[in-house]
Amino acid sequence: YADDRVIHFGMIPRANRCIFVINELPDLQARIQVALFNILQEGDIQIRGFNLRLPLDLVIAFSANPEDYTNRGNIITPLKDRIDAQIITHYPKELDVARKITDQEAWMERNQDLRIQIPDFFRDLIEWVAFEARECEYVDQKSGVSARMTITAMEQMISSAEQRAYRNKETDIVLRISDLYQIVPALTGKLELVYEGEQEGAVQVAKHLIGRAVIRVFKEHFPAPNTKSRRPKGGETSSVKDLYSEIKEWFASGGMVEVSDTMSEKEYQSRLENVKGLSELVEPLSTRAEVIKNQRLERYAWMGLVLDALHQYSILGKEDLDDTISYSDMVGSVLGKIGSIEEDEEYN
């Protein structure tokens, strides 16, 4: 195994052969790459000034990013010619494969006294963020998207929930939509942006990718808010009733939901329960869980997803200030901003 420029050896007793791995081959200086010629060509080491040849039984593996990605070095042609095979890897093409990689690599099993529930759709959200990044016009696709992005994002999302649990002295906690937006620093450090993306700003691009992922997952379980169609998967169909009418009416009448990253589960649930029609909308989905306690907890995760998706569809307004997120009626929030501008002008 190799990390950066540190070379490690590992023996396989059954094969009696040493595995020699070099990470980031183009970063090695040319003179060091030349030293590998004889090993690959003759299978031995010669010591200058001595009539001595040390035969080697080695398997050598190199890793390297595409040359247009690093721009920091190059594999010299004679050495590249002596490498037997070049295997080009690729990003996961299927959601299930991507999820397995993240689950395998991310640090998820932590304090045994703290039980953090991760709803399945949160795992999908993380992966869809990466899929969206690999298609986004603001992201430099030549540089690519780091394969470690979803791993770091998952760990950061869990850490956000873990911190909240310790602050509120809770032992059972479920991820919420505000935890999803805590992965923004993980995204900005793993993306290379084109000029247009730099103009938009790394944080805004990251939030844009999260919003696109929210819509993807939302559409898998709910009808688009602009149509009058079926209930979520597992529910009865309806071609007449607007499933979101009660929620929109509640916000239109002046309702507002304000949640924070540090808010306790009890208070968070109470504020979501105040939204008329929201709990009934997600009921068919939240009853899938096997454990009664988890049914209750997961329901609020779905409720948070619905509110954020309605914002992504420009039905609800959203303000994100520090660790607080507030949802309100889109029209009312726009008119309120216009009114505040007029008041400022009169004051000036």
Side-chain angles (χ1 to χ4, degrees):
Y1 179 78
D3 182 18
D4 294 333
R5 300 184 185 181
V6 181
I7 301 172
H8 304 265
F9 291 88
M11 290 296 298
I12 301 180
R14 292 178 58 185
N16 196 27
R17 175 171 293 183
C18 185
I19 308 297
F20 186 66
V21 184
I22 299 179
N23 192 26
E24 302 294 355
L25 179 61
D27 287 350
L28 290 180
Q29 298 177 11
R31 62 183 181 83
I32 299 178
Q33 293 188 35
V34 170
L36 297 174
F37 285 176
N38 208 72
I39 298 176
L40 293 179
Q41 186 70 41
E42 306 296 339
D44 61 26
I45 290 179
Q46 300 181 28
I47 301 178
R48 181 181 298 178
F50 294 89
N51 186 18
L52 180 66
R53 300 169 70 97
L54 300 177
L56 300 174
D57 187 11
L58 292 175
V59 172
I60 303 181
F62 309 96
S63 71
N65 291 310
E67 293 174 10
D68 60 351
Y69 176 78
T70 61
N71 265 344
R72 293 176 298 174
N74 196 5
I75 303 175
I76 60 177
T77 303
L79 179 62
K80 193 172 183 180
D81 177 65
R82 287 166 171 80
I83 296 175
D84 291 332
Q86 180 179 349
I87 302 172
I88 300 176
T89 59
H90 58 79
Y91 294 119
K93 298 180 180 179
E94 299 176 357
L95 188 67
D96 290 342
V97 175
R99 281 185 49 166
K100 289 179 181 178
I101 294 174
T102 302
D103 289 346
Q104 173 183 296
E105 301 296 330
W107 178 39
M108 301 168 65
E109 299 296 331
R110 304 187 182 184
N111 194 326
Q112 298 297 324
D113 298 329
L114 185 62
R115 294 179 291 276
I116 299 178
Q117 183 184 344
I118 308 173
D120 277 348
F121 74 87
F122 267 91
R123 301 176 189 271
D124 293 344
L125 282 169
I126 290 291
E127 304 305 333
W128 278 123
V129 169
F131 278 96
E132 289 290 341
R134 291 164 194 153
E135 298 176 359
C136 181
E137 59 183 359
Y138 294 132
V139 178
D140 186 356
Q141 299 303 329
K142 290 184 179 180
S143 297
V145 179
S146 173
R148 301 177 183 88
M149 187 179 73
T150 55
I151 299 169
T152 306
M154 176 63 77
E155 292 175 348
Q156 206 146 326
M157 191 167 59
I158 294 174
S159 294
S160 175
E162 189 177 39
Q163 181 187 54
R164 182 171 62 254
Y166 284 129
R167 283 187 174 185
N168 297 306
K169 298 180 180 180
E170 297 171 332
T171 56
D172 291 282
I173 196 168
V174 66
L175 294 183
R176 60 180 67 162
I177 201 68
S178 60
D179 296 324
L180 179 65
Y181 283 90
Q182 292 300 316
I183 73 172
V184 169
L187 305 187
T188 55
K190 298 290 190 293
L191 299 174
E192 295 287 341
L193 304 180
V194 296
Y195 176 76
E196 292 80 3
E198 295 289 352
Q199 292 296 104
E200 291 290 330
V203 173
Q204 292 303 318
V205 172
K207 290 183 177 180
H208 168 73
L209 296 175
I210 295 174
R212 296 289 302 173
V214 167
I215 290 178
R216 284 240 199 180
V217 174
F218 180 81
K219 289 170 64 176
E220 292 179 2
H221 304 278
F222 299 89
N226 300 325
T227 61
K228 299 177 181 180
S229 56
R230 61 178 178 79
R231 289 190 60 81
K233 291 180 180 179
E236 298 178 355
T237 59
S238 172
S239 58
V240 179
K241 184 180 179 181
D242 181 2
L243 300 178
Y244 311 97
S245 59
E246 287 186 284
I247 299 175
K248 291 188 286 188
E249 289 172 3
W250 186 84
F251 281 100
S253 63
M256 185 182 73
V257 175
E258 183 176 280
V259 295
S260 70
D261 301 336
T262 58
M263 186 178 290
S264 67
E265 283 294 310
K266 184 177 181 181
E267 187 177 0
Y268 179 73
Q269 295 168 12
S270 175
R271 297 198 180 188
L272 292 182
E273 289 284 2
N274 290 334
V275 182
K276 188 176 180 181
L278 183 58
S279 179
E280 292 78 8
L281 180 68
V282 304
E283 192 65 28
L285 292 168
S286 61
T287 55
R288 295 179 183 178
E290 297 179 359
V291 183
I292 299 298
K293 193 171 190 177
N294 289 345
Q295 290 180 15
R296 177 178 59 82
L297 291 175
E298 188 167 327
R299 179 175 63 180
Y300 297 99
W302 283 109
M303 293 165 73
L305 174 70
V306 171
L307 290 181
D308 203 75
L310 293 179
H311 162 67
Q312 302 300 333
Y313 278 101
S314 300
I315 293 175
L316 297 181
K318 177 182 175 182
E319 289 190 9
D320 191 354
L321 300 174
D322 296 329
D323 62 347
T324 302
I325 299 176
S326 61
Y327 298 95
S328 59
D329 180 57
M330 175 65 78
V331 177
S333 61
V334 171
L335 293 178
K337 290 180 180 178
I338 294 175
S340 63
I341 293 173
E342 292 176 348
E343 290 175 0
D344 291 341
E345 290 176 348
E346 291 179 3
Y347 177 78
N348 294 329

